[in-house]
Each structure stands twice: as structure tokens, then as C-alpha cells.
Amino acid sequence: MTSTFQLYARNALLPEGWRQDVLLEWDANGSLTGVTADVNAAAAVGVEVAQYALPGMINLHSHSFQRALGGRTEKAGDEVGNVKDSFWTWRDLMYRFARNITPEHIEAIAAQLFSECLRHGYTALCEFHYVQRAPDGAMYPQPAETAQRVISAARLAGIGITMLPVLYSYSGFGESALKPEQRRFKTDPQDVLRIIEALEPLRDAQTEVGVAPHSLRAASVAQINEVLVTLPPDRPVHIHIAEQEQEVAQSLNWSGRRPVQWLLDQVAVDQRWCLIHATHLMRDEVDELARTGAVAGLCPTTEANLGDGLFPFEEFMAAGGRFGIGSDSHISQSAVEELRWLEYGQRLQHMRRNIAVSKEQRNVGDYLWQHALQGGAQAAGRPLGALAVGKRADLIVLDDEHPNLFGLAIDEVLGSFIFSGNDNLVRDVMVGGQWVVRDKQHVAQQAIAARFKQTLAELREFR
Ligand SMILES: [Zn+2]
């Protein structure tokens, strides 16, 4: 009989690197209780066997409703040649889409997204959640209505979640009033604290709650500090920071400082912080941000899709920085694609190869996966990112019957996984000790997809 709480991996990626003959054990709560390498084969009799097991990736930045926008924004606007399409014209389309979406739609879209993220190697996700009011701009009777819907979707799909209710009060630097199309996003510090309080009973081994000031455009430093004095000190704090050059210029205009500099000068940024899209940095900002111990949240496919620019990755890592990856707008749901784009952007920029390496770790795939795990776990504020006792039993098993994994030395496996072709090599996925993907199928895939299809049909009527 196969034990429910054990897995035997011929090869497992542990914090120190690949080890052989690893027995993984976990408890009924889904936490790892034993990780033993070099076990005797007899110890594995009756235990399920995996050829390659590695920790599932953390997706540290998600706006899940944007999954339903995929493919709808890849067409030039009317004023081609006059006003070029940009992040800002994309944002107008996104606002239009967000106008009519209901809590039921939010839940259905999120469940579809989460099942896809799981199939592509993510086992946890941080939801940067800002559609919090009804279409007419009123608060829902339950202030955490839409956040609860996203958490329900995470539970249905079986992905771990860090919910980050967003503080969103202004449309630009200097506390400019929100635009009508932003009325569903409006929150002040008291609203956000009420939402966080309403979510408190939902916190458990799979669910954490932090906060996200949307950006320095949408929240003032005084507001950010007002929320932080009430929030327990171990909760994650995420913010969008320097995604666009126009945003940097507006910050300079208004404050005399660039956004990262402004934030670091005014707020006590530390390890619980995650700065999303810290794309446009000066040299001193790179060093200072690295020194804080905060995580740089990189979203390479979305940043490419929106024409944001490239993060100074090599300089930041050389300064001791920490990073994780997110799929943000969800034009990709693949951890592999994010990491591949991250490395390729740097190669194209520097016209060199193998950028994400160190003296100790010369394998690009291993470097990317391990560092993104550490940064992602820190940003999620949950015990994730390693096959180690006390961490969650969140792991993926690769398809060892796929030709891309034939004939490789163990230190070449992640190189092939991340850089070879577009087949999905993630075969099985476990979250908190439960299998949620088996043989590349999510356990609730059909029901979730049927609801997603129905949701898109309803949303089409509002276009
Ligand atoms: Zn974002």
C-alpha cells in the first residue's frame, strides 16, 4: 500500500542542491516533517516514486481578473502614429474591462488562472487585489467580498495564497482625485484595515493576509504609515514602484526624487517589503534597495508585454539583492516562461550569455529557480520555497519520460526545463501534501474551465 504522507524522489532539489534517494514526509496539516537524502531503497518500498522533485514556484504578483483580458489588448489603438500604444493605453482597456465584472466573475476567472498556474509549476501566489468596490463605487455589504472570492478560488484550485488588499486613494502624485473609472478601486487606510480584519478568520496554513499600497501614485506616505502601524509586523507589504519612465518623471516633478528613492527615504522598508516593477533604478537606488533586504518583484512577461523596460538584474544581484517572479497580468501562467524571459532580457541587453549565475552556482537554471524560490517565499510571508522540515509540502514532479530530460546529468535538468522548447514538463503538483495536478491534469480542471467559459460569455456582452 502506498503511504499518503511520503514520497520517494530519486532526485530532489534541496536547499543545498540536488540530492539522490530522498524520502519526503509530511503531516496531515501539509507541512514537511522529514527530508532524508541517501535513504536505503528498502525504506522506499510501498512509497510513490518520483524521478525529479523540486519545490513549487511562488508567483509573487497577480491581478487574477486580468487573466480574462489575455489576447484582447494586442491590437493597436486608433491613433497609430500620433499617440503610441503604451502601458497607459493598455491601462485604459483594463479599466474598461474592470467596470462590469462581478464577484462571481472574479472567482471564476481566478479559479481558472490558479488551476493553470498549478499546472505550470506555481504552488503559491500573492494576489495584489484592487477591485474591491461594486460597479457603482459603493462598498459591498461585506467589505472583503471580492477578496474572499479570490481566496475561495484559491481553495477550490488548491493553490496557497497571500491576499494583499490594496490601498488606492489617488490617481497621481500629489493626491490628485481618482478618475470615475477608478471608483471600484477606491480605498482609504480605514477601508483597507476593515478588509484585512474581515479576512482574519480565513488565515490558515494555506492562506496569509498582508497589504499592498498600490503605488506612490495612488497612496500617500502618510496613508502607508497609517496602515503599517496597525498591521502586525510580520505581514508582507507589496507596492508597485517604478514601472514606467513617465511615472519616474512625475515623481521627480512632484517630490524631487525618483519613486524608489522617495519610498526608501520616507518609509522603513525592510525584509517584509516586496517592490514590484522596480524597473527604472539609478545605481545608488540599486545598492540601497539591495541593502534593505526587500524583494524585487520581477514580472518579465508582463513587463515585456507592456513595454516597461529591463530591470538592472546583474547589478542588483551583485549588490546582494533578492528577487522573485510574478505573472502579474497573466499573459503567461508559466514559471518557466518568466525565468526564461528574465535571463534572455539580460542576455540581449548585455550581449553576453549565462547572466544569472554566481561563483557558487554556475548553472543558470538552478540559480534562477533557487533564488526565485527564496525571494518568492519571503514575499509571500509563508513557510515556502524549500524541501526542508517545517516548510509546506509544495512540490512539482517533472515528466521524466519527456525527451527533453533524456540523457542529462542532474545539473543539466533545470537548464533543460527552463530553456528547452515549450512543452510543459510539469507532470504532477502537490500543495500542502495534496496532489492537485496528476499527469498534467488539474483535479478540478473541467468544472473550473466550464465556469470560466460561461464567465467570458457573460463579460463579452459588456464590451
Ligand atoms: Zn501589478
Side-chain angles (χ1 to χ4, degrees), residues 61-63 66 128 130 214 240 243 276-277 299 302 328-329:
H61 192 60
S62 162
H63 309 289
Q66 293 179 12
F128 199 109
Y130 61 86
H214 178 274
H240 292 129
E243 180 167 9
I276 306 295
H277 310 306
C299 308
T302 295
D328 191 359
S329 69

Side-chain angles (χ1 to χ4, degrees), residues 298-320:
L298 310 179
C299 308
T301 61
T302 295
E303 288 159 7
N305 188 276
L306 297 178
D308 288 346
L310 289 164
F311 175 75
F313 181 80
E314 195 173 28
E315 295 85 342
F316 183 67
M317 295 310 285

